[in-house]
């Protein structure tokens, strides 16, 4: 049990470490590279007002006099370091870190552990893990579309564009490495809240085993101790 728990902890730490390091690196780059603009809305207002007042004018004659070129460059940098661009930068670093250091190790750990769930809602993650293991020794850049590839509960909306790509014909295809990372991130969250458990583990054991063996027989007493109504309909009405 201890060995199994240690392997699970290692897996969770790897996934967490990759994400945290990427965020720290991006934030450090931003701090080193970015000169915060204290009055960006005023700058944008001046630019817009000047452009509207001189719709036929050229950039150098209309915009530069009210906002110098360096300020424009700083404004562009700030916008690039927020929103989708910020997320994209983090994903790029996560991918590089995972591909360079952890991608060979993770399938070995996954091959040792047997993941299970008592709820069908969370089983797509387990099916996705099987795909990760199945194609770990291949050089495929994309997962074969002949496979049944779980999407819901695996791919976050903010990451969908970097995982579900389109070829020149507009056909969707799944970027294998980015999908693997997304699967591991989903697995980490499910393990931490015991929605997914591991056979032979102690800390990450089947949560049903934590219930008293006579729970149903002593249902009324147990619900009273939990301060929960015995009648589920009554609970829903309140």
């Amino acid at each position: 049990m201890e060995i199994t728990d240690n392997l699970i902890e290692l897996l969770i730490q790897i996934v967490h470490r990759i994400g945290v390091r990427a965020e720290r690196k991006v934030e450090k780059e931003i701090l080193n590279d970015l000169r915060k603009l204290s009055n960006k809305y005023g700058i944008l207002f001046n630019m817009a007002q000047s452009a509207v007042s001189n719709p036929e004018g050229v950039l150098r004659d209309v915009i530069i006099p009210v906002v110098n070129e360096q300020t424009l460059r700083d404004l562009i940098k700030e916008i690039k370091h927020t929103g989708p661009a910020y997320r994209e930068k983090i994903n790029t670093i996560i991918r590089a870190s995972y591909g360079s250091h952890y991608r060979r190790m993770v399938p070995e750990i996954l091959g040792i552990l047997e993941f299970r769930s008592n709820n069908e809602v969370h089983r797509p993650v387990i099916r996705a893990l099987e795909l990760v293991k199945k194609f770990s020794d291949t050089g495929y850049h994309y997962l074969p579309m002949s496979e049944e590839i779980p999407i819901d509960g695996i791919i976050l909306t903010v990451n969908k564009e970097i995982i579900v790509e389109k070829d020149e014909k507009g056909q969707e295809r799944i970027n294998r490495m980015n999908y693997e990372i997304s699967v591991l991130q989903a697995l980490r969250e499910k393990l931490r809240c015991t929605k997914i458990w591991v056979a032979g583990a102690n800390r990450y054991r089947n949560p049903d085993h934590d219930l008293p063996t006579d729970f149903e027989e002593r249902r009324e007493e147990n619900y009273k101790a939990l301060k929960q109504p015995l009648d589920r309909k009554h609970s829903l009405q309140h």
Side-chain angles (χ1 to χ4, degrees):
M1 286 187 180
E2 185 177 351
I3 294 175
T4 301
D5 280 355
N6 288 341
L7 284 173
I8 299 167
E9 289 288 352
L10 175 61
L11 185 62
I12 289 174
Q13 288 172 14
I14 286 173
V15 179
H16 178 67
R17 190 181 301 131
I18 292 172
V20 168
R21 284 182 176 176
E23 289 179 358
R24 286 177 180 170
K25 186 172 183 179
V26 172
E27 287 168 2
K28 186 177 180 181
E29 287 180 5
I30 291 173
L31 290 174
N32 291 338
D33 191 40
L34 184 61
R35 181 161 64 92
K36 277 285 185 181
L37 299 174
S38 59
N39 187 31
K40 60 186 160 201
Y41 292 111
I43 293 169
L44 291 171
F45 174 78
N46 289 338
M47 288 170 57
Q49 189 175 50
S50 182
V52 170
S53 300
N54 302 275
E56 302 298 329
V58 296
L59 177 66
R60 186 166 298 280
D61 296 332
V62 175
I63 302 298
I64 299 302
V66 295
V67 183
N68 64 57
E69 187 174 343
Q70 184 56 50
T71 300
L72 286 174
R73 292 183 185 279
D74 291 340
L75 183 61
I76 291 169
K77 280 184 180 180
E78 182 162 342
I79 293 171
K80 279 186 175 180
H81 285 308
T82 58
Y86 173 79
R87 190 72 244 166
E88 183 179 346
K89 203 173 186 70
I90 287 178
N91 285 330
T92 299
I93 296 172
I94 288 176
R95 178 186 170 93
S97 179
Y98 175 69
S100 301
H101 304 292
Y102 301 107
R103 202 179 189 192
R104 292 182 182 179
M105 180 197 311
V106 167
E108 297 292 332
I109 299 174
L110 295 179
I112 296 171
L113 302 174
E114 184 180 346
F115 299 97
R116 298 179 184 176
S117 178
N118 300 332
N119 192 325
E120 184 61 36
V121 173
H122 309 297
R123 287 177 188 153
V125 177
I126 297 176
R127 291 195 287 272
L129 285 168
E130 292 302 317
L131 281 179
V132 171
K133 290 188 286 185
K134 180 177 180 179
F135 294 101
S136 63
D137 291 331
T138 70
Y140 294 167
H141 187 74
Y142 299 100
L143 288 172
M145 295 309 291
S146 57
E147 296 286 339
E148 185 177 340
I149 305 172
I151 299 295
D152 294 339
I154 309 293
I155 301 177
L156 298 177
T157 303
V158 294
N159 293 333
K160 190 171 182 180
E161 286 188 4
I162 66 168
I163 299 173
V164 183
E165 302 177 2
K166 289 187 178 181
D167 61 19
E168 60 278 1
K169 295 181 180 179
Q171 297 293 319
E172 290 188 343
R173 52 189 182 180
I174 305 295
N175 183 297
R176 186 165 72 91
M177 184 186 293
N178 291 341
Y179 184 76
E180 287 174 15
I181 294 168
S182 191
V183 171
L184 293 172
Q185 290 170 337
L187 174 63
R188 175 178 178 267
E189 294 305 314
K190 303 296 184 185
L191 283 170
R192 294 181 70 208
C193 59
T194 67
K195 299 293 175 58
I196 288 179
W197 53 277
V198 181
N202 179 32
R203 183 176 176 184
Y204 300 93
R205 62 186 176 274
N206 185 348
D208 286 356
H209 292 171
D210 294 332
L211 291 173
T213 55
D214 60 349
F215 187 86
E216 282 301 320
E217 289 81 352
R218 303 175 62 182
R219 193 164 183 265
E220 185 174 351
E221 179 184 341
N222 289 328
Y223 270 68
K224 187 176 181 180
L226 293 169
K227 297 181 180 179
Q228 294 294 321
L230 189 62
D231 186 349
R232 188 170 181 272
K233 290 182 179 179
H234 178 77
S235 173
L236 292 174
Q237 289 172 354
H238 289 74

